[in-house]
Amino acid sequence: MQRIRLGRGDKKIYILVLILMAQVFTMIIIGQNKQGFFMDEISTYGLANSFYEPFNNWTPEYYNQWNSSEYYFSYVETHDETQFRYDSVYYNQSQDVHPPLYYYLLHTICSFFPNQFSKWFGIGLNIACYLVVNILIYCTSRRYFKEEWMSYIPVLFYGFSIAAASTVMLIRMYMLMTMFAMLLLYVHTAYIFKEEILSRKALALCVITTWLGASTQYFFSYIAFFFAAFTCIFLIIKKQYKNMIKYGLSMLGGIISLFITFPPSYNHVFSGYRGVETIHNLTSLTSKGENLKEYVYVILNQLFVGMCTNLPAVTIAILILVVIVVACKLIYDSKNYMMGILLLTTICYFLMIVFGVSGVVSRHLYPIYPFIAILTVWIIISLITRLREFKSLKVIMSIFCIVLSFIGYTTKEIEWLYSNGDYATFVAQYNHEIPAIYLADLGFESSSNYFELAQYDSSAVVKYGDESIIGNLLNAKGNPNQFILYVLNDQKGMASVSEIASSNGYTQYKKLNAYNGSVCYLVSK
């Protein structure tokens, strides 16, 4: 029998496959622990699957009346007559503030499972994108590092980080956006900077990637803009004027394609509340110093297990500036200008989020975490090999990344898991025959407890100020001896429990559970 010999290239691919399998397995294990949902995740399923009803928790019919469990599940599920209805997804997104691509994909998955809901529909889509991201990190890193084995290090560093895990666990468009951000980086690395005369393939990839990324999240346009701006500057310096014009038009063509294929995006960007808010923040002179500090801490916690977060903000700022200066020196010495464009794009996108977004919203940083991983590993390896040739550097860096990930998993929290969700759902299931009332400030907060309310045979959402309607709701149920009352977990909510109970003839109330911003009480006569 002929003996099969594996080439060095085959072995390297097998190593990558083993790493990717371990990472996917890790994400599946973490996904098992996701027990609840952020309110925007509920909207994600609803916008993807609800038939021409983008927001059931914003309509007048949602409030001050009893709704059945079917009412809640019908919003987040597809049905036999609404499978593959992309016209509905288009309409729903035209009423929202986000482009439709992620919702098209999620709707496609859900359409194969009508009348069913599962967190795995969204997590599974994110894991698929996460897998592509890590492949792209490897393929891109091969072009940055002198030795191919170094290309595994950024894959380990990002892929096993709690930053990546948090991105996968959030059932929103950010993992898909991260994938297209990495694809755009790969296109620039493999085609734009490689070719003296840009081919039609390179230009087409720029158009398609920019279009798909912008069709996923409007903030992707920031990344595309900075890549384009700094690349155009580089091409001008190189006196490649024709390439610069063709390249610039191709990147612009991707954005124009978004407005052609999804015309509501124009109003979203320039008239929608998110777009107006961002423009206002960027043009106002309001100090964002505290936001800047908090966003830096987010990155340090998500990717670097909280290292340096105990230092004063000024010290951290000085360290970051030193790292940037060192990185610029390394880039200049090695003539690796694509790495310089990556560094500038990452910094500028970060600053756009800091100054353009109200408050601190960690999920907007997710798409640049692979960039930071590649930059970090490149800087460290470049410094070490510049100072001394370490034959064992491969082992040291690999162990460092794995240990860093282990520390992150054991000392930091992965976002969006809501670890007490199963118990909250159990409490609702156990009391499903008792009518439940959710008292909220704006109403849509109830989405955070969506699947608790879905367990009850009948439940109602009442806004503060409409408490008088609770008596009518209970009368419609024959004045039951008991009812469940949810209030927001704040001073106002706590104070309202006793008043609501006594004003409706109930003398006792007992706290059953506190979860996801609300407190659940059993109110009895």
Side-chain angles (χ1 to χ4, degrees):
M1 182 180 293
Q2 186 177 4
R3 188 173 181 179
I4 298 175
R5 295 180 179 272
L6 297 176
R8 292 185 63 187
D10 295 328
K11 291 179 181 179
K12 290 175 181 177
I13 292 299
Y14 289 155
I15 292 173
L16 177 64
V17 169
L18 288 174
I19 292 173
L20 295 175
M21 289 175 62
Q23 290 175 336
V24 170
F25 180 74
T26 301
M27 293 302 118
I28 292 173
I29 295 299
I30 294 172
Q32 293 280 6
N33 294 321
K34 183 178 174 68
Q35 298 179 13
F37 299 89
F38 177 49
M39 63 175 68
D40 285 359
E41 294 178 287
I42 301 299
S43 294
T44 299
Y45 277 96
L47 289 162
N49 297 328
S50 180
F51 191 63
Y52 282 89
E53 189 181 12
F55 303 105
N56 77 341
N57 59 351
W58 285 9
T59 59
E61 294 78 16
Y62 181 63
Y63 304 106
N64 301 338
Q65 68 172 24
W66 294 111
N67 292 309
S68 66
S69 60
E70 288 77 14
Y71 174 86
Y72 292 94
F73 283 109
S74 66
Y75 177 64
V76 296
E77 297 174 349
T78 57
H79 305 285
D80 295 333
E81 66 278 6
T82 62
Q83 295 169 274
F84 306 105
R85 289 298 304 266
Y86 300 102
D87 55 327
S88 173
V89 182
Y90 182 98
Y91 170 79
N92 288 348
Q93 285 313 116
S94 70
Q95 305 301 303
D96 188 30
V97 292
H98 296 295
L101 182 56
Y102 184 80
Y103 302 88
Y104 284 146
L105 297 176
L106 182 60
H107 176 70
T108 301
I109 295 171
C110 295
S111 292
F112 287 105
F113 305 94
N115 305 307
Q116 298 180 54
F117 174 86
S118 173
K119 64 183 177 182
W120 291 106
F121 299 158
I123 294 177
L125 172 58
N126 287 351
I127 288 177
C129 296
Y130 161 81
L131 184 62
V132 175
V133 166
N134 284 300
I135 293 172
L136 289 170
I137 291 174
Y138 172 77
C139 294
T140 303
S141 298
R142 288 180 64 184
R143 299 176 180 272
Y144 290 149
F145 297 111
K146 293 180 180 179
E147 296 187 42
E148 190 169 348
W149 64 262
M150 295 180 181
S151 304
Y152 300 118
I153 307 302
V155 180
L156 291 169
F157 182 35
Y158 171 77
F160 285 112
S161 69
I162 61 172
S166 296
T167 312
V168 172
M169 292 306 116
L170 177 60
I171 304 176
R172 295 286 283 169
M173 73 292 292
Y174 295 98
M175 193 73 246
L176 183 64
M177 179 185 172
T178 304
M179 185 184 81
F180 288 127
M182 269 308 306
L183 181 59
L184 190 65
L185 172 60
Y186 178 75
V187 168
H188 279 72
T189 303
Y191 294 98
I192 304 303
F193 268 66
K194 181 182 178 182
E195 300 177 2
E196 288 295 325
I197 299 176
L198 296 183
S199 65
R200 292 182 179 178
K201 179 180 179 181
L203 297 174
L205 286 172
C206 285
V207 173
I208 293 170
T209 305
T210 302
W211 168 54
L212 292 174
S215 297
T216 301
Q217 230 286 359
Y218 294 128
F219 282 170
F220 180 88
S221 301
Y222 293 163
I223 295 175
F225 171 79
F226 291 121
F227 264 124
F230 294 124
T231 301
C232 283
I233 292 171
F234 173 80
L235 293 174
I236 291 172
I237 293 172
K238 299 288 287 185
K239 297 183 179 180
Q240 297 181 13
Y241 303 115
K242 289 184 179 179
N243 278 350
M244 185 274 293
I245 293 172
K246 290 190 292 185
Y247 164 77
L249 289 175
S250 69
M251 294 294 286
L252 181 61
I255 301 299
I256 293 174
S257 298
L258 166 67
F259 292 121
I260 293 173
T261 55
F262 189 62
S265 60
Y266 183 86
N267 288 330
H268 288 176
V269 173
F270 297 105
S271 303
Y273 76 92
R274 290 290 190 196
V276 171
E277 176 187 74
T278 300
I279 293 172
H280 171 75
N281 289 338
L282 290 173
T283 55
S284 68
L285 299 178
T286 305
S287 174
K288 293 283 186 175
E290 188 64 27
N291 277 17
L292 178 61
K293 183 185 75 172
E294 292 300 323
Y295 271 115
V296 169
Y297 284 175
V298 167
I299 293 175
L300 292 175
N301 278 300
Q302 290 275 304
L303 269 181
F304 301 97
V305 299
M307 289 191 296
C308 299
T309 52
N310 59 333
L311 297 177
V314 174
T315 305
I316 295 175
I318 293 172
L319 289 174
I320 291 173
L321 288 174
V322 169
V323 170
I324 292 173
V325 170
V326 170
C328 291
K329 174 64 175 172
L330 291 170
I331 291 165
Y332 180 79
D333 289 346
S334 63
K335 310 302 179 186
N336 197 337
Y337 298 118
M338 185 60 229
M339 189 64 75
I341 288 175
L342 177 61
L343 175 64
L344 290 171
T345 298
T346 303
I347 292 172
C348 289
Y349 175 85
F350 172 78
L351 293 176
M352 287 293 286
I353 297 302
V354 170
F355 291 100
V357 176
S358 297
V360 178
V361 186
S362 62
R363 56 187 178 273
H364 292 319
L365 297 179
Y366 290 171
I368 60 170
Y369 283 147
F371 296 174
I372 297 173
I374 292 172
L375 286 164
T376 301
V377 174
W378 184 83
I379 291 169
I380 292 173
I381 289 179
S382 297
L383 280 174
I384 293 176
T385 54
R386 191 183 178 107
L387 296 172
R388 182 177 177 183
E389 189 66 34
F390 278 98
K391 294 182 179 180
S392 58
L393 183 59
K394 180 196 312 184
V395 177
I396 293 172
M397 289 296 295
S398 300
I399 293 175
F400 174 76
C401 291
I402 293 171
V403 169
L404 205 65
S405 300
F406 177 77
I407 294 173
Y409 288 144
T410 54
T411 63
K412 301 295 178 182
E413 287 188 6
I414 297 171
E415 297 182 294
W416 320 112
L417 292 182
Y418 301 101
S419 56
N420 294 321
D422 284 351
Y423 179 73
T425 302
F426 167 77
V427 170
Q429 288 175 338
Y430 184 81
N431 296 289
H432 71 94
E433 294 181 348
I434 304 174
I437 294 175
Y438 193 109
L439 185 63
D441 191 12
L442 299 174
F444 62 79
E445 299 100 334
S446 62
S447 292
S448 297
N449 304 87
Y450 195 88
F451 286 105
E452 289 175 77
L453 297 178
Q455 307 307 315
Y456 295 100
D457 295 342
S458 56
S459 61
V461 177
V462 176
K463 293 182 182 180
Y464 287 120
D466 294 336
E467 290 92 337
S468 60
I469 199 70
I470 292 177
N472 296 334
L473 290 170
L474 294 172
N475 286 335
K477 289 295 179 181
N479 286 313
N481 290 326
Q482 295 178 319
F483 73 96
I484 300 292
L485 178 63
Y486 286 86
V487 296
L488 298 182
N489 193 5
D490 56 22
Q491 186 175 357
K492 183 178 179 180
M494 300 297 102
S496 64
V497 177
S498 175
E499 182 179 346
I500 290 172
S502 60
S503 63
N504 289 283
Y506 293 82
T507 58
Q508 301 176 26
Y509 53 90
K510 179 176 69 173
K511 179 179 176 181
L512 298 181
N513 190 37
Y515 168 72
N516 209 4
S518 70
V519 183
C520 173
Y521 289 90
L522 175 65
V523 184
S524 307
K525 288 185 175 179

